[in-house]
Amino acid sequence: MKTIKNIAVLTSGGDAPGMNAGIRAVVRAGIYNNLNVFGVKRGYDGLVNGELIPMDAKSVANIIQRGGTILKTARSDEFRTVEGRQKAYDNIKKLGIDGLVVIGGDGTFTGASKFIEEFDIPIIGIPGTIDNDLAGTDFTIGYDTAINTVVDAVDKIRDTAESHDRLFVVEVMGRDSGLIALRSGISTGAEAVLIPEINVDYDAIMKRLDKTRKNKASRIVIVAEGDKEGGLVVAEKIQENFPHYDVRLSILGHIQRGGKPTCMDRVLASRLGVASVEALIEGRKGEMAGLICGEVHFTPFNKAIKHLDDINENLTRIVEILSL
């Protein structure tokens, strides 16, 4: 087993609150273990273009509370090519880098798997995505902050809905996963939640909305952006069925990606950042560090990037029970 002396860290894919806390943990854990640590600017694109900078404890001071990523992130078409990955490998070899820590989601880990296959470079992944759609961890970095952002926004929308007897359709992020919609829907008392994992039963939704009309002055329907039809179509269908309703659409968009990470995301990122460095030192590679039932576990990339299994039916049942 090769001794690890120099490591690099990058963030890739969509940004997620808590990525900076993860960068901070990797850098400081590396220094604590007498390693030289480099930061890669703009994800895999930075590897291809040689944008690697040495990092010390001071370079990650006062960032744990910041959203986004100080290393920035970008999608790299060139890294998807054999020639691009060769450039990336040549750049890290020039600096004597022995291992990488990559923070991101399924696209990030897919790229890492290909890089390992071709060049046998040790890589450990940290799950950073607001969608919480990776296997091998109970929660991904950024998910808790994102759902709290949604809850805060919907609570404020509810005030207006209540004041004007309106029905709001709120579209949240989740192109391939409805977990943001589902959990935020429960915590905001939504009358219905539409997610991509479950086919929409419009008849049942319309009956539920009609039934709740007597009990509530406001109604909220939360739709994941990955739902087949999206918030706009859902709002139009509701308006067609209930012409007397004052139906409004609110698309939350990228506010869900930004903002200060919650305590949960900061602690999660810190734990996984330290674990990733220790994993490289131990000789691990091609695995994602995750937290399952409060303990750190490692999952091979090819298993982690598979979309989460079936949605928790108990959560969808709770939405229906509590929407009365």
Side-chain angles (χ1 to χ4, degrees):
M1 185 175 68
K2 184 178 179 181
T3 301
I4 299 291
K5 296 180 180 178
N6 306 300
I7 64 172
V9 57
L10 63 82
T11 51
S12 177
D15 63 303
M19 279 185 164
N20 280 326
I23 294 168
R24 173 182 179 270
V26 170
V27 171
R28 294 197 169 179
I31 294 169
Y32 180 84
N33 285 282
N34 299 313
L35 305 180
N36 298 310
V37 186
F38 294 82
V40 184
K41 290 282 191 179
R42 299 176 183 83
Y44 289 126
D45 214 38
L47 278 186
V48 173
N49 296 316
E51 296 183 78
L52 291 89
I53 56 173
M55 302 189 78
D56 56 21
K58 187 176 180 181
S59 66
V60 292
N62 200 33
I63 68 168
I64 194 171
Q65 79 281 8
R66 292 169 56 184
T69 161
I70 63 166
L71 290 176
K72 302 189 182 298
T73 180
R75 304 191 189 278
S76 177
D77 290 332
E78 194 170 2
F79 189 77
R80 293 188 176 97
T81 68
V82 175
E83 295 78 13
R85 291 190 293 273
Q86 182 66 59
K87 284 184 186 178
Y89 181 74
D90 292 342
N91 286 329
I92 63 175
K93 284 293 103 181
K94 286 177 188 175
L95 296 172
I97 290 171
D98 308 303
L100 294 173
V101 174
V102 297
I103 306 174
D106 54 359
T108 303
F109 300 154
T110 299
S113 296
K114 194 68 177 175
F115 207 36
I116 294 170
E117 179 186 318
E118 292 174 348
F119 301 104
D120 198 31
I121 182 81
I123 305 177
I124 295 293
I126 297 177
T129 168
I130 65 170
D131 290 333
N132 199 38
D133 59 351
L134 294 170
T137 187
D138 290 336
F139 298 103
T140 58
I141 296 166
Y143 175 63
D144 187 64
T145 305
I147 57 175
N148 275 284
T149 297
V150 172
V151 168
D152 182 61
V154 174
D155 284 348
K156 291 172 180 174
I157 289 170
R158 175 80 77 174
D159 290 342
T160 294
E162 187 86 18
S163 299
H164 294 271
D165 291 328
R166 286 174 179 162
L167 185 152
F168 270 86
V169 175
V170 182
E171 183 180 289
V172 302
M173 283 186 164
R175 185 178 65 249
D176 301 311
S177 171
L179 288 175
I180 292 177
L182 192 52
R183 285 184 181 268
S184 61
I186 291 173
S187 59
T188 56
E191 280 63 48
V193 178
L194 281 63
I195 58 177
E197 292 89 343
I198 299 177
N199 291 327
V200 181
D201 184 347
Y202 277 108
D203 288 339
I205 290 172
M206 299 308 168
K207 287 177 183 177
R208 191 186 307 172
L209 291 175
D210 190 44
K211 185 178 180 181
T212 61
R213 180 176 51 172
K214 298 176 182 179
N215 301 329
K216 299 181 180 182
S218 65
R219 286 161 295 282
I220 300 288
V221 175
I222 293 185
V223 182
E225 65 178 350
D227 178 74
K228 282 77 176 174
E229 298 178 321
L232 179 60
V233 174
V234 172
E236 289 174 346
K237 288 194 175 185
I238 293 173
Q239 189 72 80
E240 288 172 8
N241 277 267
F242 302 104
H244 54 288
Y245 279 7
D246 186 359
V247 180
R248 302 296 175 94
L249 171 66
S250 181
I251 299 175
L252 298 188
H254 284 79
I255 67 166
Q256 295 157 86
R257 286 199 183 281
K260 294 182 177 181
T262 60
C263 175
M264 177 176 169
D265 275 328
R266 297 183 198 193
V267 173
L268 176 63
S270 298
R271 290 189 67 180
L272 297 184
V274 172
S276 66
V277 173
E278 292 176 345
L280 285 175
I281 294 171
E282 291 168 6
R284 289 182 175 273
K285 66 178 178 180
E287 296 177 316
M288 180 196 80
L291 209 63
I292 301 176
C293 296
E295 298 297 328
V296 174
H297 288 261
F298 292 92
T299 303
F301 284 148
N302 65 336
K303 293 184 178 179
I305 60 180
K306 291 180 179 177
H307 188 275
L308 265 188
D309 328 80
D310 297 332
I311 208 80
N312 187 332
E313 292 183 4
N314 190 46
L315 294 181
T316 59
R317 189 172 65 90
I318 288 172
V319 172
E320 184 174 356
I321 292 171
L322 300 182
S323 66
L324 296 176

mmCIF file with all atom_site columns, all heavy atoms in Angstrom, residues 10 15 22 34 76 81 88 93 98 144 160 170 180 186 201 272:
data_model
loop_
_atom_site.group_PDB
_atom_site.id
_atom_site.type_symbol
_atom_site.label_atom_id
_atom_site.label_alt_id
_atom_site.label_comp_id
_atom_site.label_asym_id
_atom_site.label_entity_id
_atom_site.label_seq_id
_atom_site.pdbx_PDB_ins_code
_atom_site.Cartn_x
_atom_site.Cartn_y
_atom_site.Cartn_z
_atom_site.occupancy
_atom_site.B_iso_or_equiv
_atom_site.pdbx_formal_charge
_atom_site.auth_seq_id
_atom_site.auth_comp_id
_atom_site.auth_asym_id
_atom_site.auth_atom_id
_atom_site.pdbx_PDB_model_num
ATOM 1   N N   . LEU A 1 10  ? -11.939 18.490 -4.144  1.00 0.00 ? 10  LEU A N   1
ATOM 2   C CA  . LEU A 1 10  ? -12.707 19.280 -5.105  1.00 0.00 ? 10  LEU A CA  1
ATOM 3   C C   . LEU A 1 10  ? -14.194 19.133 -4.821  1.00 0.00 ? 10  LEU A C   1
ATOM 4   O O   . LEU A 1 10  ? -14.641 18.174 -4.176  1.00 0.00 ? 10  LEU A O   1
ATOM 5   C CB  . LEU A 1 10  ? -12.387 18.870 -6.545  1.00 0.00 ? 10  LEU A CB  1
ATOM 6   C CG  . LEU A 1 10  ? -12.702 17.443 -7.013  1.00 0.00 ? 10  LEU A CG  1
ATOM 7   C CD1 . LEU A 1 10  ? -14.171 17.263 -7.420  1.00 0.00 ? 10  LEU A CD1 1
ATOM 8   C CD2 . LEU A 1 10  ? -11.807 17.052 -8.190  1.00 0.00 ? 10  LEU A CD2 1
ATOM 9   N N   . ASP A 1 15  ? -24.031 22.913 -6.330  1.00 0.00 ? 15  ASP A N   1
ATOM 10  C CA  . ASP A 1 15  ? -23.553 23.269 -4.993  1.00 0.00 ? 15  ASP A CA  1
ATOM 11  C C   . ASP A 1 15  ? -24.592 22.894 -3.947  1.00 0.00 ? 15  ASP A C   1
ATOM 12  O O   . ASP A 1 15  ? -25.781 22.791 -4.231  1.00 0.00 ? 15  ASP A O   1
ATOM 13  C CB  . ASP A 1 15  ? -23.226 24.765 -4.915  1.00 0.00 ? 15  ASP A CB  1
ATOM 14  C CG  . ASP A 1 15  ? -24.451 25.629 -5.140  1.00 0.00 ? 15  ASP A CG  1
ATOM 15  O OD1 . ASP A 1 15  ? -25.088 25.481 -6.193  1.00 0.00 ? 15  ASP A OD1 1
ATOM 16  O OD2 . ASP A 1 15  ? -24.776 26.450 -4.259  1.00 0.00 ? 15  ASP A OD2 1
ATOM 17  N N   . GLY A 1 22  ? -17.289 20.735 4.538   1.00 0.00 ? 22  GLY A N   1
ATOM 18  C CA  . GLY A 1 22  ? -16.579 19.527 4.119   1.00 0.00 ? 22  GLY A CA  1
ATOM 19  C C   . GLY A 1 22  ? -15.170 19.825 3.657   1.00 0.00 ? 22  GLY A C   1
ATOM 20  O O   . GLY A 1 22  ? -14.223 19.100 3.995   1.00 0.00 ? 22  GLY A O   1
ATOM 21  N N   . ASN A 1 34  ? -0.392  15.329 8.934   1.00 0.00 ? 34  ASN A N   1
ATOM 22  C CA  . ASN A 1 34  ? 0.891   15.652 8.295   1.00 0.00 ? 34  ASN A CA  1
ATOM 23  C C   . ASN A 1 34  ? 0.888   15.453 6.782   1.00 0.00 ? 34  ASN A C   1
ATOM 24  O O   . ASN A 1 34  ? 1.892   15.040 6.187   1.00 0.00 ? 34  ASN A O   1
ATOM 25  C CB  . ASN A 1 34  ? 2.019   14.813 8.926   1.00 0.00 ? 34  ASN A CB  1
ATOM 26  C CG  . ASN A 1 34  ? 2.170   15.086 10.408  1.00 0.00 ? 34  ASN A CG  1
ATOM 27  O OD1 . ASN A 1 34  ? 2.201   16.243 10.841  1.00 0.00 ? 34  ASN A OD1 1
ATOM 28  N ND2 . ASN A 1 34  ? 2.238   14.020 11.202  1.00 0.00 ? 34  ASN A ND2 1
ATOM 29  N N   . SER A 1 76  ? -17.839 19.496 -16.343 1.00 0.00 ? 76  SER A N   1
ATOM 30  C CA  . SER A 1 76  ? -16.705 19.430 -17.275 1.00 0.00 ? 76  SER A CA  1
ATOM 31  C C   . SER A 1 76  ? -16.965 18.447 -18.412 1.00 0.00 ? 76  SER A C   1
ATOM 32  O O   . SER A 1 76  ? -16.955 17.229 -18.217 1.00 0.00 ? 76  SER A O   1
ATOM 33  C CB  . SER A 1 76  ? -15.437 19.026 -16.525 1.00 0.00 ? 76  SER A CB  1
ATOM 34  O OG  . SER A 1 76  ? -14.351 18.891 -17.405 1.00 0.00 ? 76  SER A OG  1
ATOM 35  N N   . THR A 1 81  ? -14.008 12.949 -21.566 1.00 0.00 ? 81  THR A N   1
ATOM 36  C CA  . THR A 1 81  ? -13.230 12.319 -22.637 1.00 0.00 ? 81  THR A CA  1
ATOM 37  C C   . THR A 1 81  ? -11.971 11.671 -22.073 1.00 0.00 ? 81  THR A C   1
ATOM 38  O O   . THR A 1 81  ? -11.462 12.074 -21.019 1.00 0.00 ? 81  THR A O   1
ATOM 39  C CB  . THR A 1 81  ? -12.826 13.354 -23.700 1.00 0.00 ? 81  THR A CB  1
ATOM 40  O OG1 . THR A 1 81  ? -11.871 14.280 -23.127 1.00 0.00 ? 81  THR A OG1 1
ATOM 41  C CG2 . THR A 1 81  ? -14.046 14.134 -24.188 1.00 0.00 ? 81  THR A CG2 1
ATOM 42  N N   . ALA A 1 88  ? -5.982  15.569 -16.702 1.00 0.00 ? 88  ALA A N   1
ATOM 43  C CA  . ALA A 1 88  ? -6.220  15.683 -15.260 1.00 0.00 ? 88  ALA A CA  1
ATOM 44  C C   . ALA A 1 88  ? -5.200  14.851 -14.485 1.00 0.00 ? 88  ALA A C   1
ATOM 45  O O   . ALA A 1 88  ? -4.620  15.309 -13.488 1.00 0.00 ? 88  ALA A O   1
ATOM 46  C CB  . ALA A 1 88  ? -7.639  15.234 -14.926 1.00 0.00 ? 88  ALA A CB  1
ATOM 47  N N   . LYS A 1 93  ? -0.221  14.393 -11.098 1.00 0.00 ? 93  LYS A N   1
ATOM 48  C CA  . LYS A 1 93  ? 1.062   13.713 -10.943 1.00 0.00 ? 93  LYS A CA  1
ATOM 49  C C   . LYS A 1 93  ? 2.212   14.724 -10.840 1.00 0.00 ? 93  LYS A C   1
ATOM 50  O O   . LYS A 1 93  ? 3.188   14.492 -10.141 1.00 0.00 ? 93  LYS A O   1
ATOM 51  C CB  . LYS A 1 93  ? 1.301   12.755 -12.112 1.00 0.00 ? 93  LYS A CB  1
ATOM 52  C CG  . LYS A 1 93  ? 0.513   11.476 -12.030 1.00 0.00 ? 93  LYS A CG  1
ATOM 53  C CD  . LYS A 1 93  ? 0.946   10.590 -10.858 1.00 0.00 ? 93  LYS A CD  1
ATOM 54  C CE  . LYS A 1 93  ? 0.001   10.646 -9.672  1.00 0.00 ? 93  LYS A CE  1
ATOM 55  N NZ  . LYS A 1 93  ? 0.425   9.811  -8.532  1.00 0.00 ? 93  LYS A NZ  1
ATOM 56  N N   . ASP A 1 98  ? -1.311  12.004 -4.217  1.00 0.00 ? 98  ASP A N   1
ATOM 57  C CA  . ASP A 1 98  ? -1.487  10.557 -4.063  1.00 0.00 ? 98  ASP A CA  1
ATOM 58  C C   . ASP A 1 98  ? -2.945  10.140 -3.941  1.00 0.00 ? 98  ASP A C   1
ATOM 59  O O   . ASP A 1 98  ? -3.253  8.945  -4.037  1.00 0.00 ? 98  ASP A O   1
ATOM 60  C CB  . ASP A 1 98  ? -0.750  10.080 -2.802  1.00 0.00 ? 98  ASP A CB  1
ATOM 61  C CG  . ASP A 1 98  ? 0.696   10.535 -2.769  1.00 0.00 ? 98  ASP A CG  1
ATOM 62  O OD1 . ASP A 1 98  ? 1.419   10.217 -3.721  1.00 0.00 ? 98  ASP A OD1 1
ATOM 63  O OD2 . ASP A 1 98  ? 1.093   11.215 -1.796  1.00 0.00 ? 98  ASP A OD2 1
ATOM 64  N N   . ASP A 1 144 ? -30.590 18.799 4.642   1.00 0.00 ? 144 ASP A N   1
ATOM 65  C CA  . ASP A 1 144 ? -31.277 19.376 5.798   1.00 0.00 ? 144 ASP A CA  1
ATOM 66  C C   . ASP A 1 144 ? -31.473 20.881 5.625   1.00 0.00 ? 144 ASP A C   1
ATOM 67  O O   . ASP A 1 144 ? -32.537 21.424 5.936   1.00 0.00 ? 144 ASP A O   1
ATOM 68  C CB  . ASP A 1 144 ? -30.480 19.091 7.079   1.00 0.00 ? 144 ASP A CB  1
ATOM 69  C CG  . ASP A 1 144 ? -31.230 19.511 8.332   1.00 0.00 ? 144 ASP A CG  1
ATOM 70  O OD1 . ASP A 1 144 ? -32.295 18.924 8.610   1.00 0.00 ? 144 ASP A OD1 1
ATOM 71  O OD2 . ASP A 1 144 ? -30.777 20.452 9.017   1.00 0.00 ? 144 ASP A OD2 1
ATOM 72  N N   . THR A 1 160 ? -49.891 34.345 3.445   1.00 0.00 ? 160 THR A N   1
ATOM 73  C CA  . THR A 1 160 ? -50.625 35.028 2.376   1.00 0.00 ? 160 THR A CA  1
ATOM 74  C C   . THR A 1 160 ? -51.828 34.202 1.917   1.00 0.00 ? 160 THR A C   1
ATOM 75  O O   . THR A 1 160 ? -52.912 34.737 1.675   1.00 0.00 ? 160 THR A O   1
ATOM 76  C CB  . THR A 1 160 ? -49.687 35.302 1.185   1.00 0.00 ? 160 THR A CB  1
ATOM 77  O OG1 . THR A 1 160 ? -48.689 36.237 1.582   1.00 0.00 ? 160 THR A OG1 1
ATOM 78  C CG2 . THR A 1 160 ? -50.446 35.865 -0.006  1.00 0.00 ? 160 THR A CG2 1
ATOM 79  N N   . VAL A 1 170 ? -46.710 25.014 -4.825  1.00 0.00 ? 170 VAL A N   1
ATOM 80  C CA  . VAL A 1 170 ? -45.312 25.381 -4.605  1.00 0.00 ? 170 VAL A CA  1
ATOM 81  C C   . VAL A 1 170 ? -44.417 24.322 -5.235  1.00 0.00 ? 170 VAL A C   1
ATOM 82  O O   . VAL A 1 170 ? -44.476 23.148 -4.862  1.00 0.00 ? 170 VAL A O   1
ATOM 83  C CB  . VAL A 1 170 ? -44.992 25.504 -3.094  1.00 0.00 ? 170 VAL A CB  1
ATOM 84  C CG1 . VAL A 1 170 ? -43.538 25.926 -2.899  1.00 0.00 ? 170 VAL A CG1 1
ATOM 85  C CG2 . VAL A 1 170 ? -45.932 26.505 -2.421  1.00 0.00 ? 170 VAL A CG2 1
ATOM 86  N N   . ILE A 1 180 ? -37.217 16.077 -0.994  1.00 0.00 ? 180 ILE A N   1
ATOM 87  C CA  . ILE A 1 180 ? -37.385 17.450 -0.506  1.00 0.00 ? 180 ILE A CA  1
ATOM 88  C C   . ILE A 1 180 ? -38.870 17.772 -0.413  1.00 0.00 ? 180 ILE A C   1
ATOM 89  O O   . ILE A 1 180 ? -39.355 18.303 0.598   1.00 0.00 ? 180 ILE A O   1
ATOM 90  C CB  . ILE A 1 180 ? -36.673 18.461 -1.437  1.00 0.00 ? 180 ILE A CB  1
ATOM 91  C CG1 . ILE A 1 180 ? -35.164 18.295 -1.355  1.00 0.00 ? 180 ILE A CG1 1
ATOM 92  C CG2 . ILE A 1 180 ? -37.066 19.893 -1.071  1.00 0.00 ? 180 ILE A CG2 1
ATOM 93  C CD1 . ILE A 1 180 ? -34.396 19.200 -2.307  1.00 0.00 ? 180 ILE A CD1 1
ATOM 94  N N   . ILE A 1 186 ? -44.781 17.366 4.633   1.00 0.00 ? 186 ILE A N   1
ATOM 95  C CA  . ILE A 1 186 ? -45.270 16.938 5.946   1.00 0.00 ? 186 ILE A CA  1
ATOM 96  C C   . ILE A 1 186 ? -45.089 18.054 6.973   1.00 0.00 ? 186 ILE A C   1
ATOM 97  O O   . ILE A 1 186 ? -45.995 18.361 7.761   1.00 0.00 ? 186 ILE A O   1
ATOM 98  C CB  . ILE A 1 186 ? -44.534 15.661 6.404   1.00 0.00 ? 186 ILE A CB  1
ATOM 99  C CG1 . ILE A 1 186 ? -44.939 14.474 5.525   1.00 0.00 ? 186 ILE A CG1 1
ATOM 100 C CG2 . ILE A 1 186 ? -44.832 15.357 7.871   1.00 0.00 ? 186 ILE A CG2 1
ATOM 101 C CD1 . ILE A 1 186 ? -44.137 13.221 5.789   1.00 0.00 ? 186 ILE A CD1 1
ATOM 102 N N   . ASP A 1 201 ? -52.347 10.724 -9.051  1.00 0.00 ? 201 ASP A N   1
ATOM 103 C CA  . ASP A 1 201 ? -53.767 10.374 -9.100  1.00 0.00 ? 201 ASP A CA  1
ATOM 104 C C   . ASP A 1 201 ? -54.553 11.665 -8.911  1.00 0.00 ? 201 ASP A C   1
ATOM 105 O O   . ASP A 1 201 ? -54.873 12.064 -7.795  1.00 0.00 ? 201 ASP A O   1
ATOM 106 C CB  . ASP A 1 201 ? -54.096 9.365  -7.999  1.00 0.00 ? 201 ASP A CB  1
ATOM 107 C CG  . ASP A 1 201 ? -55.543 8.878  -8.052  1.00 0.00 ? 201 ASP A CG  1
ATOM 108 O OD1 . ASP A 1 201 ? -56.341 9.509  -8.778  1.00 0.00 ? 201 ASP A OD1 1
ATOM 109 O OD2 . ASP A 1 201 ? -55.866 7.895  -7.366  1.00 0.00 ? 201 ASP A OD2 1
ATOM 110 N N   . LEU A 1 272 ? -17.753 13.560 7.878   1.00 0.00 ? 272 LEU A N   1
ATOM 111 C CA  . LEU A 1 272 ? -17.406 12.831 6.652   1.00 0.00 ? 272 LEU A CA  1
ATOM 112 C C   . LEU A 1 272 ? -16.106 13.340 6.044   1.00 0.00 ? 272 LEU A C   1
ATOM 113 O O   . LEU A 1 272 ? -15.376 12.578 5.412   1.00 0.00 ? 272 LEU A O   1
ATOM 114 C CB  . LEU A 1 272 ? -18.550 12.938 5.643   1.00 0.00 ? 272 LEU A CB  1
ATOM 115 C CG  . LEU A 1 272 ? -19.881 12.315 6.083   1.00 0.00 ? 272 LEU A CG  1
ATOM 116 C CD1 . LEU A 1 272 ? -20.908 12.386 4.960   1.00 0.00 ? 272 LEU A CD1 1
ATOM 117 C CD2 . LEU A 1 272 ? -19.697 10.871 6.550   1.00 0.00 ? 272 LEU A CD2 1
#
